[in-house]
Amino acid sequence: MNTEILLSISGLHKAFGGLIAVNQMQFDVHAGEIVGLLGPNGSGKTTVMNLISGALSPDEGKVVIGGKNITSLPAHKISHSGIARTFQLVRVLPDLDCVENIEAGLAYRTNPLWGDAAHKAALELLDRIGLAKQAHIPAGDLTYIDQKRLELGRALALQPKLLLLDEWLAGLNPSELQDGIALVRKLKDEGLTIIMVEHVMDAIRSLCDRCVVMNAGTKIADGTPDEVLSDPEVVRAYLGDSHA
Ligand SMILES: Nc1ncnc2c1ncn2[C@@H]1O[C@H](COP(=O)(O)OP(=O)(O)OP(=O)(O)O)[C@@H](O)[C@H]1O
């Protein structure tokens, strides 16, 4: 494993009124790793993603990427620091075709591309994510998995070092799931570092180098998929005491 730490989270804390959603979270992500962020519904996973991507500011704690402290920076500055994300509910521009959707992403990155250069880069990116044939179809007319691919493409257009996938594989049928897993694996092979919030166990076992498990805002396990999924505390968090 590459020992370079790309992302480091420490002492992260976030409350919504009286509810502590994230409580003293800390973990590191090494360059080139896929880390699964797991936990039962409501355990705080999406809030952690929002704190990393700048959609929310923590009450306490630090988020550092590549040695740079990005805690509480606005989301656009964080994206320029090399972090891009997808959302649980797909966000594409439905009336624009796939090329135009990617071009919109290319215009917002640190070294923006416009005109012919953007068009060429958008076609290359669509090819990379398996959407070359759909280049001129409006995003709103794509199948669900293709909309997910396109949203991923918009994130990749930002040339991230770290990609945050929030349940990107949810809702896919079994053959789409295999295609989705293959695409994430290809991105890892290209050198991308990924944090994925995921409930699909097949995907977690086949993709994740390491998993961080949360329950009620707190980290309860950190290890390989096999280690954490057989940890009695994790089993208890997901299934209740009678199964542990
Ligand atoms: N903006 C908000 N305002 C108030 N409470 C919130 C807000 N966002 C999240 N919460 C609460 O914080 C807790 C953690 O939510 P979060 O969405 O991070 O969990 P999660 O692990 O991602 O859940 P799921 O797997 O269901 O997506 C939940 O109790 C949720 O209701």
Side-chain angles (χ1 to χ4, degrees):
M1 185 177 69
N2 188 332
T3 51
E4 180 202 337
I5 292 176
L6 179 64
L7 181 84
S8 181
I9 284 172
S10 54
L12 213 56
H13 191 276
K14 180 72 184 176
F16 298 109
L19 177 96
I20 300 175
V22 174
N23 191 4
Q24 294 302 318
M25 270 302 282
Q26 61 167 66
F27 62 91
D28 293 334
V29 177
H30 295 87
E33 253 188 327
I34 298 186
V35 172
L37 187 54
L38 316 186
N41 290 336
S43 55
K45 307 176 297 289
T46 297
T47 306
V48 168
M49 297 290 243
N50 285 336
L51 294 170
I52 297 171
S53 67
L56 290 172
S57 279
D59 304 324
E60 289 168 31
K62 257 195 338 193
V63 181
V64 175
I65 182 158
K68 179 180 171 195
N69 187 347
I70 56 165
T71 319
S72 299
L73 287 182
H76 70 276
K77 291 216 167 129
I78 290 183
S79 101
H80 286 181
S81 305
I83 299 179
R85 72 176 294 179
T86 64
F87 292 86
Q88 258 179 43
L89 298 175
V90 176
R91 297 183 182 186
V92 290
L93 304 167
D95 297 331
L96 301 186
D97 71 19
C98 293
V99 175
E100 292 163 334
N101 264 273
I102 300 288
E103 285 173 348
L106 293 167
Y108 279 99
R109 69 186 199 188
T110 315
N111 51 340
L113 291 182
W114 307 95
D116 288 348
H119 194 73
K120 183 165 174 285
L123 291 172
E124 282 169 10
L125 187 43
L126 288 172
D127 189 41
R128 185 172 158 211
I129 56 173
L131 277 184
K133 287 196 183 117
Q134 291 86 339
H136 300 294
I137 294 179
D141 292 347
L142 294 174
T143 61
Y144 184 57
I145 184 168
D146 285 347
Q147 289 197 8
K148 290 202 149 199
R149 283 181 195 274
L150 184 59
E151 196 194 22
L152 182 60
R154 280 163 52 88
L156 294 174
L158 301 172
Q159 294 183 307
K161 295 189 233 120
L162 174 67
L163 178 65
L164 308 178
L165 298 178
D166 198 350
E167 297 196 33
W168 189 73
L169 295 159
L172 302 182
N173 69 35
S175 79
E176 290 171 341
L177 180 62
Q178 292 314 312
D179 290 348
I181 289 173
L183 180 51
V184 176
R185 186 172 294 119
K186 182 174 135 188
L187 298 178
K188 174 189 160 77
D189 291 345
E190 291 171 5
L192 201 57
T193 307
I194 296 170
I195 301 178
M196 53 193 283
V197 169
E198 198 47 72
H199 290 289
V200 180
M201 289 298 162
D202 281 354
I204 292 164
R205 286 188 191 278
S206 72
L207 288 171
C208 295
D209 300 295
R210 202 155 59 80
C211 295
V212 171
V213 188
M214 297 182 71
N215 190 29
T218 307
K219 181 169 94 172
I220 58 167
D222 186 337
T224 65
D226 281 348
E227 282 166 357
V228 303
L229 295 174
S230 60
D231 181 327
E233 196 176 349
V234 173
V235 175
R236 199 177 299 120
Y238 271 98
L239 299 174
D241 276 337
S242 58
H243 293 80

